[in-house]
Amino acid sequence: MLELARARKESRLVSLLIQVYYLLYSINRAAASLTGYIPIHTVRLLLYKHLFRVDVPLDAIIYKRCSYNEPAGVHIGHHSIIGPDAHFDGRKGLFIGSNVNIAAEVRIFTLEHDTTSPNFGVKAGAVHVDDWVYIGPRVTILPSVRIGTGAVVAAGAVVTKDVEPWTMVGGVPAKFIKKRPIVQYTLDTKPNLVRFLR
């Protein structure tokens, strides 16, 4: 009888610890997303970097209202620009290269439900966006995808599989459109008053 009472007490303690963990996780996620509403870019960037542990250099730009699942799993390279209202899922790792331009309202996921699973489980995998990629507005990128160096993803596309380097893709699901010439540039992310307030 004593053993049963002890097991129940331990079970309640474990349940309480799990609930506390999920509460703190939810608060962290909500606070990171609310940070996107701060009207000063430099303040947002410093909070993302130092409070929410987003791996982002100070020469990158993250515009307003970016939201996150697991911000600490997001890694952004030098001179990259993230447009407004982006959503980044870092739960399985999101790796964005240097000189990447991501337009407004892009959604990148590292977990999704497996509709063929008998228990509606999840499929998961890191997403890699290599250097010099341009991702157009309202693109959705699903788990386990690599966008190759210099690729372009046209507006509104849904990317379900890897994109070859220096190609342009578009559509639902995204398919090859044409080759892109090899160009290597450094995006202008120098501070200025307009960016400071965006």
Side-chain angles (χ1 to χ4, degrees):
M1 193 70 173
L2 188 60
E3 296 251 340
L4 183 59
R6 184 178 299 149
R8 283 184 182 157
K9 195 173 194 178
E10 287 175 4
S11 176
R12 275 187 247 136
L13 179 61
V14 168
S15 177
L16 178 64
L17 289 174
I18 290 170
Q19 288 176 0
V20 168
Y21 168 80
Y22 281 115
L23 175 64
L24 293 174
Y25 174 81
S26 298
I27 290 170
N28 180 60
R29 184 177 157 193
S33 295
L34 287 173
T35 297
Y37 287 87
I38 294 173
I40 300 170
H41 171 261
T42 307
V43 173
R44 282 196 311 272
L45 200 62
L46 290 171
L47 288 172
Y48 288 145
K49 183 174 182 65
H50 297 293
L51 184 60
F52 302 109
R53 299 186 342 257
V54 175
D55 180 16
V56 58
L58 296 178
D59 60 8
I61 295 173
I62 302 175
Y63 285 110
K64 289 183 186 172
R65 298 179 304 275
C66 189
S67 61
Y68 298 89
N69 283 337
E70 193 57 53
V74 176
H75 309 271
I76 300 170
H78 291 279
H79 301 286
S80 289
I81 300 173
I82 311 302
D85 299 300
H87 177 77
F88 291 155
D89 180 358
R91 290 175 289 181
K92 294 299 175 185
L94 171 55
F95 302 89
I96 297 169
S98 296
N99 296 296
V100 171
N101 193 340
I102 296 179
E105 299 180 26
V106 169
R107 306 287 184 252
I108 303 177
F109 298 98
T110 62
L111 270 111
E112 67 177 338
H113 284 285
D114 182 358
T115 57
T116 62
S117 165
N119 64 354
F120 199 54
V122 296
K123 296 189 289 190
V127 171
H128 296 265
V129 179
D130 293 342
D131 298 344
W132 296 296
V133 166
Y134 173 66
I135 298 174
R138 294 193 170 181
V139 166
T140 300
I141 300 172
L142 298 181
S144 303
V145 164
R146 178 178 287 274
I147 311 290
T149 303
V152 173
V153 182
V158 176
V159 183
T160 60
K161 59 185 179 185
D162 291 355
V163 176
E164 293 296 316
W166 303 107
T167 60
M168 178 183 284
V169 299
V172 180
K175 292 188 179 359
F176 175 82
I177 296 173
K178 65 180 182 178
K179 285 286 203 183
R180 180 187 188 193
I182 295 175
V183 289
Q184 297 179 346
Y185 45 79
T186 300
L187 292 174
D188 179 14
T189 58
K190 291 185 195 102
N192 63 43
L193 185 59
V194 173
R195 285 200 186 109
F196 182 75
L197 296 173
R198 285 191 177 174

